[in-house]
Structures are given as C-alpha cells and as structure tokens.
Amino acid sequence: MSELTKNDAALAVLEEVLLASRRAAEQAQDESGEFNVGLKAAYYDVLTVALEQAELFGLDPAEFGLKGYNPDVLLRPNQSKAA
C-alpha cells in the first residue's frame, strides 16, 4: 500500500469538513430560533462555495458527499414545526 500523500490527506480532511457541514446544516434546518438562522446562513455560505468551486474545477460533488445537495433549502423558512 502506498503512503498517504499530503494532498490526499488534505482532500480527506476537506471531505470530512463538508460532510459535517452538510449534516449540521440539515440539523439546523430542523430547528427553530435565531441561533439556527445564523447557523443556516453560515453553512449556506460554506456549502455554496464548495459546490461553486467543484463546478469550476469540473469535480463531481458526489465525490465529497454533496451529491444532489442544494444549499438553497437553507434559505427557506423552517417548515418542520408547524404552528
């Protein structure tokens, strides 16, 4: 087995960060309150940049856990807790 390169390690770290961001964004989407509004905005920024850069470099978002993910859902009002 070949030694893990620094580039491979950096890609693994980035993939884990993006997966954690997606999970946290989805959790924030299910919660109400001002704090979660801020979280959703922050995750929207991070995930949008990641998807834009992937497109720019011709990368498949599925390779880093964002297959079919649309961060625009984070901009929608919370509908999970109907009044």
Side-chain angles (χ1 to χ4, degrees):
M1 182 149 99
S2 67
E3 187 175 321
L4 185 67
T5 67
K6 198 172 196 177
N7 191 40
D8 291 336
L11 290 174
V13 168
L14 180 58
E15 180 178 0
E16 288 303 315
V17 168
L18 291 174
L19 287 170
S21 295
R22 178 180 179 167
R23 285 191 298 268
E26 290 169 345
Q27 183 177 351
Q29 185 65 22
D30 292 337
E31 302 292 330
S32 59
E34 288 185 36
F35 181 74
N36 282 308
V37 170
L39 279 179
K40 291 190 294 184
Y43 288 122
Y44 173 82
D45 287 344
V46 168
L47 295 167
T48 299
V49 168
L51 290 168
E52 287 171 351
Q53 292 300 305
E55 183 177 354
L56 180 67
F57 289 104
L59 300 174
D60 182 359
E63 293 179 21
F64 45 89
L66 296 180
K67 178 181 180 181
Y69 185 71
N70 180 1
D72 289 347
V73 300
L74 298 170
L75 301 177
R76 297 181 190 143
N78 184 342
Q79 297 176 357
S80 66
K81 308 223 186 231

